[in-house]
Amino acid sequence: MGTEKGWVYRIDEPHGSQGWGPYGGHPERWRGTIVTEGPAEYVAALVITDLVTEWKVRGTGQRHVRVIVWKDQEGDDPEDATFTVEIRPDIEAE
């Protein structure tokens, strides 16, 4: 014990020529804090699991998003992040 860290995450999606912006109609739903002993990659995996589950339940299919994870507090941009992963839809899926 005592090795837990606070991780802050956010999900963004492409917003055309404006670049990246908050994901979905309720961006506060996809932004938050997770406290764990695990690394940033683990936090991203938890967030992605929740996101993919929602896509499946709603039947919306995979979207183009990125999950950004910072240690302790949210940075100004993804370059400040500890870990970033981008998910792109499979355009060749059947």
Side-chain angles (χ1 to χ4, degrees):
M1 293 295 193
T3 59
E4 292 181 333
K5 298 178 191 89
W7 298 101
V8 178
Y9 68 89
R10 182 180 79 215
I11 300 179
D12 288 344
E13 65 182 343
H15 281 237
S17 62
Q18 298 171 357
W20 293 85
Y23 170 73
H26 301 285
E28 63 280 353
R29 160 91 169 87
W30 299 108
R31 165 183 248 152
T33 302
I34 294 175
V35 176
T36 181
E37 292 180 9
E41 294 84 355
Y42 174 72
V43 172
L46 291 174
V47 173
I48 290 167
T49 299
D50 191 27
L51 181 63
V52 170
T53 299
E54 181 162 301
W55 288 342
K56 287 181 180 180
V57 168
R58 293 180 181 242
T60 57
Q62 190 175 358
R63 308 267 307 267
H64 185 184
V65 298
R66 68 180 177 192
V67 178
I68 310 160
V69 181
W70 294 271
K71 185 177 177 190
D72 297 326
Q73 63 183 16
E74 188 173 317
D76 293 327
D77 51 50
E79 288 75 28
D80 301 333
T82 302
F83 184 75
T84 302
V85 62
E86 190 170 335
I87 300 172
R88 295 179 183 213
D90 183 4
I91 59 172
E92 296 180 18
E94 293 183 25

